Every structure is written in structure tokens, then in C-alpha cells.
Amino acid sequence: MIGHPITAVVLGGHDTRGNNAHGPNKPNEDALELPANVASKALLPYQGKPIASYVLDALTSCLQITQIIYVGALTPELTTKVDDNVPAGER
């Protein structure tokens, strides 16, 4: 490892399907998320995988990154790429 260890915090956005601290049954009003049936733009598929996956892969390949914290909804696949997950809106 070169330099000091770094903790990366990835802000994945809040869950617009109503599964968050902004209130139950909040309708999904996002034109991109609605047809894809995803919780946030970070989970929109691009070339077969969620956009957030590309970010997490890049962070995982960096030797100085020792911990990845993801804020927002995750897919089961993405859960394996992070050290900790905090739902958006939680304090």
C-alpha cells in the first residue's frame, strides 16, 4: 500500500420507490428510474450492470482504498462490493 489508507463513501441516492425516510408510498416520479424499476439512478443498468458497479469496481482496484461505504439502495450483486451500507435518509 502506498500512502495512507482511505475510506471511500459513495453516495448512491435515495430510494424513490417509497422505501426510505422521505415517507412511505412516495411515488417514483423519475423518468429514468420508472421504466427500469430501480431505486435510484445509480442502479440504472449500463452495458449489463448497474452504473454504481463501475464506481465500486474502480474503488476496489485502488490499493489505497481500504474501506467502501455505500449510501443508498443496493442490489444483491453490489452488496458484495462494499464494506458497509447505509440506507439514504438515515441519520
Side-chain angles (χ1 to χ4, degrees):
M1 180 183 329
I2 301 170
H4 298 285
I6 297 171
T7 296
V9 178
V10 179
L11 304 178
H14 71 279
D15 188 338
T16 57
R17 296 176 300 182
N19 304 323
N20 61 40
H22 301 286
N25 303 319
K26 177 183 176 287
N28 185 339
E29 299 170 356
D30 191 285
L32 292 173
E33 296 166 16
L34 185 60
N37 193 31
V38 294
S40 70
K41 286 185 184 74
L43 300 180
L44 285 169
Y46 178 73
Q47 295 187 356
K49 61 185 194 177
I51 292 171
S53 184
Y54 294 94
V55 174
L56 296 173
D57 288 345
L59 291 172
T60 301
S61 69
C62 181
L63 297 177
Q64 287 182 271
I65 304 292
T66 58
Q67 182 180 24
I68 300 173
I69 299 170
Y70 188 91
V71 180
L74 286 172
T75 64
E77 170 203 348
L78 295 179
T79 302
T80 63
K81 298 182 180 196
V82 302
D83 298 300
D84 197 7
N85 176 230
V86 179
E90 261 192 30
R91 292 178 184 212

